[in-house]
Amino acid sequence: ALRYLPRDQTARSHPRTSKAAMNNSAAASLTSRFNISLILNMTGSMLGNETLSPSALCYSGIFGVCRDCNLDGSCLCGSNLNGLSDLVLMDRTRWGDRILVCQNYQPVLSAAYALAAALSLETVFQICRNFRFQLEISRVGQRAWSRRLAVWSLLCILGVVVANMLFSLLKIILPEQVVGIDVAPTLFLTIRNFLMAPLQKLYQLRVWNISLKAQVASIGRQRVEDKLKRF
């Protein structure tokens, strides 16, 4: 029966159907506008007009939290910030990966390395001035090994200080060189740490030798030797 009714009569006889159709049309129009707006924003960001920072792509974990990153999930560092950390590198762009976090503030690190290099250079001058004096003293004595303890200690200290100075200068000139990845900083740090162990032992032997000489001077050699024989 509705087939032969006029168009306006059909619309009047079904108000709910026409209202639902209008709502569906409005929703489809809104969805289309939203999709177009989203596509334009993404296109604009890819062209450089806008930088998106999707929080879902930023790193958040044991090494820290990145609050601003690009579409690849790489953290966006400031002018003085970087992820060039030693041992566990945060800036992994050299392998085509992303920057996890920007945890290094380069001006503070450069100032600390400059201070370390200056102190190391002053220590080198002091060691060179005292080395000849200790070498002359080592020629006078009774025990060969005890005479050269100070000389050996100075040599170990010189190696530690020179390695530390070279490491500091390298970190100032080439901050992208990191320990554990690049050869030069890793080698300098290894030499420094390797010489620290014998330096500690030589220092302990030196202190023991000095204390023994002080006891000999105060209570006599014979009494000190008698006490040592008991052990």
Side-chain angles (χ1 to χ4, degrees):
L2 295 175
R3 188 181 302 175
Y4 302 100
L5 292 176
R7 187 173 300 175
D8 55 349
Q9 234 173 352
T10 304
R12 286 175 197 164
S13 60
H14 296 280
R16 296 182 180 178
T17 304
S18 61
K19 188 179 294 186
M22 293 176 61
N23 291 336
N24 292 336
S25 176
S29 176
L30 182 61
T31 304
S32 178
R33 291 179 183 177
F34 176 77
N35 291 335
I36 293 174
S37 177
L38 180 61
I39 292 173
L40 290 177
N41 289 335
M42 292 182 64
T43 305
S45 66
M46 293 174 65
L47 293 176
N49 298 328
E50 180 183 359
T51 303
L52 295 177
S53 58
S55 58
L57 298 177
C58 296
Y59 175 82
S60 177
I62 190 174
F63 300 121
V65 178
C66 178
R67 304 187 183 278
D68 191 13
C69 57
N70 56 19
L71 291 175
D72 296 329
S74 183
C75 194
L76 299 176
C77 302
S79 57
N80 293 321
L81 295 172
N82 58 60
L84 300 173
S85 55
D86 292 319
L87 299 179
V88 181
L89 187 60
M90 297 293 105
D91 187 352
R92 304 176 181 182
T93 54
R94 65 172 71 183
W95 301 295
D97 203 347
R98 57 178 179 166
I99 302 175
L100 299 182
V101 290
C102 306
Q103 60 182 6
N104 290 352
Y105 189 64
Q106 193 59 39
V108 174
L109 291 177
S110 298
Y113 286 130
L115 180 61
L119 294 177
S120 299
L121 184 61
E122 176 63 23
T123 306
V124 168
F125 290 149
Q126 293 181 3
I127 291 174
C128 293
R129 287 194 296 265
N130 294 328
F131 184 79
R132 181 179 298 179
F133 175 73
Q134 292 294 337
L135 189 62
E136 293 177 357
I137 292 179
S138 65
R139 295 172 183 173
V140 180
Q142 296 180 356
R143 299 179 181 178
W145 65 270
S146 62
R147 292 199 305 263
R148 295 180 177 84
L149 279 177
V151 177
W152 293 341
S153 300
L154 285 176
L155 289 176
C156 288
I157 295 174
L158 182 62
V160 170
V161 171
V162 170
N164 187 66
M165 181 178 63
L166 294 177
F167 176 79
S168 301
L169 292 176
L170 181 65
K171 296 294 285 186
I172 295 174
I173 300 173
L174 299 173
E176 66 273 8
Q177 296 279 317
V178 294
V179 177
I181 305 297
D182 299 293
V183 177
T186 305
L187 179 62
F188 293 149
L189 189 63
T190 302
I191 293 174
R192 187 189 69 178
N193 295 338
F194 180 78
L195 292 177
M196 287 295 292
L199 175 61
Q200 183 180 3
K201 300 302 179 182
L202 289 173
Y203 178 77
Q204 292 175 353
L205 290 174
R206 178 66 175 170
V207 171
W208 179 79
N209 190 30
I210 292 175
S211 63
L212 186 62
K213 288 181 179 179
Q215 289 181 354
V216 169
S218 60
I219 64 177
R221 178 178 298 276
Q222 187 63 37
R223 293 181 61 183
V224 172
E225 291 179 354
D226 293 340
K227 289 184 178 181
L228 291 176
K229 289 177 181 180
R230 297 176 184 177
F231 296 99

